[in-house]
Amino acid sequence: MAALPHSTMTPTLTPDTILALAPDPGSAASARKLATPVKWQHLNHAGGLLWGECQGSGKDPYLTGVDPSGPVSRCSCPSRKFPCKHGLALMLLHAAHPGDFGTAAAPESLQTWLAGRQTRAEKAAGTPDPAGTAPTPAPDPAAQARRRAARERKVESGLAALHVFLKDLVRDGLAHASARPYSDWDTQAARLVDAQAPGAARHVRRIPELLGDPAALLAHLGWLALLCEGWTHRAGLTPPELADLRAALGFPLDQAGLQAEPGVSGRWTVLGQSTSQEDHLTTRRTWLERAGHTALLLDFAAGGRPLPPGLPTGQSVQAELVFAPSATPQRAVLRGEATEYRPAEALPAGLSVDALLDRHATLLGRNPWLERAAYALGPVRLLPGEPWHAVDDAGHALPLGGSERAQLTLMAVSGGAPLTLYGEWTGHTFTPLSHLAPGHLTPGRVTSVRAEARP
């Protein structure tokens, strides 16, 4: 089979950007060890595809291919991680030793995989189907309305019970809350799950973490009470406000319906990525920005399954994003695939601590259930302690989240000098996801942390 033409530009991926794609730190470490030409029997770059054969512990070498336009990889190794260590190593090798790559065409199995990707991308872009495949039947609006009404009745019942529970908790006194058995919180959360309000259940499960901090506990209970009151008075909310309330309660996003809405097309800069683990669900948040507008892409994986390939931090991509309805639009879905990867050029200017807090307060005024937003903060100096802080020129500080290793890495990179950070602010901690310099952005290492409790 002849080498396939490739319509998209081959992106320039830096080692930091490639390692940021690793599904876990172990994969990143293994990829570094494999990123040497002596470990590979063949290395080629042809038809828009990187491919090679890496000798593993078995008799036959593993055949690995990478489509840099994704970037996505395919490998014959038994790993269920995406990208696997061989895919990461192949990208690292191409970044460091492009002259070692030949131009031999890829084996048929990899060319078939690449052709399948191109076919799916063309369908997603709306290319007419020559086979004349019949369109998918439209859903029944009446059945949808019945299901929606049934769910809303369940949610109403569950939130009414939660409101009574919160009133009893406050009436007994918060000082007595720590004496309650854990089964109290678990039972209340389970009832909310049965009532199809998983978002509220998730926040009830976090109450025991806050029992030692009365101020944080009171703020968290107030947030839950506002959720109950908001649902009771939902008839007076605007459609965007109601969408925010439904999202906070855990109503699923209608991604199919969203794909029919107009999107925002252009060059988006991937500024940061974070992964959190809660119970058996892994969530990846990818933050993008274009012309001062921030977008958040969410990916989920349950039961230990791998996350889908993500967008590389530090790259600018051509993409069309469709925003979910909200009073503070930031959740978005990607229409089709991102293409034309380039190193990021237009990076956001850093905010002072006061400016960041003012901007976040404005967002909370529109959407009180907003859990986090992403900002560029800087220049700031890092101040070690318990916890670490980021201190701006005016001496104002924000507590830092994330692992101590990541904080020490930032301190080493900065050498104690001021730097600009891009990260997530939850109202409690600022977690750096990358750091910015003029014309350059370096992503943080992959970390997996449990979702933070609301302060």
Side-chain angles (χ1 to χ4, degrees):
M1 183 180 291
L4 290 167
H6 208 261
S7 59
T8 55
M9 180 181 299
T10 299
T12 302
L13 299 175
T14 66
D16 284 328
T17 301
I18 294 166
L19 291 173
L21 297 172
D24 53 54
S27 297
S30 298
R32 289 193 197 95
K33 295 176 182 176
L34 291 173
T36 173
V38 298
K39 299 278 189 182
W40 295 76
Q41 296 184 11
H42 303 284
L43 290 170
N44 289 284
H45 183 195
L49 182 72
L50 302 176
W51 72 275
E53 290 180 314
C54 183
Q55 186 63 53
S57 56
K59 176 183 175 183
D60 299 321
Y62 297 127
L63 176 62
T64 307
V66 172
D67 177 359
S69 68
V72 293
S73 66
R74 181 184 178 90
C75 186
S76 61
C77 76
S79 173
R80 296 179 63 190
K81 299 176 181 177
F82 296 99
C84 68
K85 59 185 179 183
H86 304 102
L88 292 167
L90 191 59
M91 288 187 275
L92 288 172
L93 267 172
H94 188 256
H97 305 283
D100 289 352
F101 282 68
T103 57
E108 185 171 347
S109 61
L110 290 179
Q111 294 195 36
T112 302
W113 167 69
L114 185 61
R117 280 184 44 77
Q118 289 180 324
T119 301
R120 289 190 293 274
E122 289 168 0
K123 284 183 178 179
T127 303
D129 183 2
T133 306
T136 304
D140 181 0
Q144 285 183 318
R146 286 195 297 273
R147 288 194 294 270
R148 177 170 175 154
R151 176 164 187 168
E152 290 189 349
R153 285 194 295 273
K154 285 186 175 181
V155 170
E156 184 153 2
S157 174
L159 290 180
L162 173 62
H163 213 177
V164 172
F165 176 79
L166 294 173
K167 288 179 179 177
D168 288 345
L169 196 62
V170 173
R171 187 179 299 113
D172 291 345
L174 297 185
H176 293 92
S178 59
R180 287 176 174 257
Y182 275 89
S183 58
D184 273 18
W185 320 111
D186 289 340
T187 300
Q188 187 59 46
R191 287 172 178 165
L192 287 167
V193 171
D194 291 342
Q196 297 187 309
R202 181 164 58 89
H203 288 283
V204 169
R205 287 197 190 96
R206 292 178 181 174
I207 292 177
E209 301 173 15
L210 306 172
L211 293 176
D213 187 342
L217 175 61
L218 184 60
H220 192 73
L221 297 180
W223 188 89
L224 282 168
L226 184 62
L227 202 62
C228 298
E229 290 286 352
W231 185 256
T232 303
H233 299 92
R234 64 187 181 281
L237 300 179
T238 65
E241 291 169 342
L242 182 57
D244 289 330
L245 175 60
R246 291 169 63 86
L249 287 168
F251 279 76
L253 183 66
D254 180 11
Q255 298 216 20
L258 206 58
Q259 289 289 353
E261 298 295 325
V264 181
S265 184
R267 295 210 65 81
W268 291 86
T269 302
V270 187
L271 291 173
Q273 210 169 72
S274 67
T275 304
S276 61
Q277 183 79 36
E278 188 167 5
D279 297 330
H280 301 292
L281 182 68
T282 303
T283 303
R284 180 176 60 211
R285 294 182 293 277
T286 302
W287 297 93
L288 304 94
E289 185 166 298
R290 176 178 179 272
H293 199 149
T294 300
L296 169 63
L297 301 180
L298 294 179
D299 294 297
F300 303 97
R305 296 179 66 84
L307 287 162
L311 298 177
T313 301
Q315 294 284 303
S316 164
V317 299
Q318 179 69 32
E320 182 176 8
L321 302 184
V322 185
F323 285 84
S326 169
T328 54
Q330 67 174 19
R331 171 80 190 275
V333 297
L334 185 64
R335 175 175 287 158
E337 289 193 359
T339 59
E340 299 181 21
Y341 289 64
R342 302 173 191 161
E345 296 173 356
L347 300 178
L351 301 172
S352 67
V353 169
D354 282 351
L356 185 152
L357 295 178
D358 284 346
R359 189 170 293 187
H360 195 71
T362 301
L363 295 180
L364 286 177
R366 298 175 190 161
N367 176 12
W369 298 287
L370 184 71
E371 292 193 39
R372 57 175 56 80
Y375 305 95
L377 173 67
V380 291
R381 293 180 186 273
L382 302 183
L383 181 64
E386 292 290 342
W388 284 50
H389 283 78
V391 185
D392 66 11
D393 292 340
H396 299 151
L398 291 181
L400 290 180
S403 69
E404 185 179 15
R405 180 177 181 180
Q407 293 164 348
L408 289 169
T409 300
L410 280 175
M411 178 63 88
V413 168
S414 69
L419 75 170
T420 298
L421 305 172
Y422 189 84
E424 294 178 337
W425 172 244
T426 63
H428 181 55
T429 57
F430 182 87
T431 302
L433 306 179
S434 57
H435 61 275
L436 290 73
H440 180 68
L441 182 147
T442 302
R445 299 300 186 198
V446 173
T447 56
S448 183
V449 297
R450 192 187 189 284
E452 284 187 34
R454 176 173 289 276

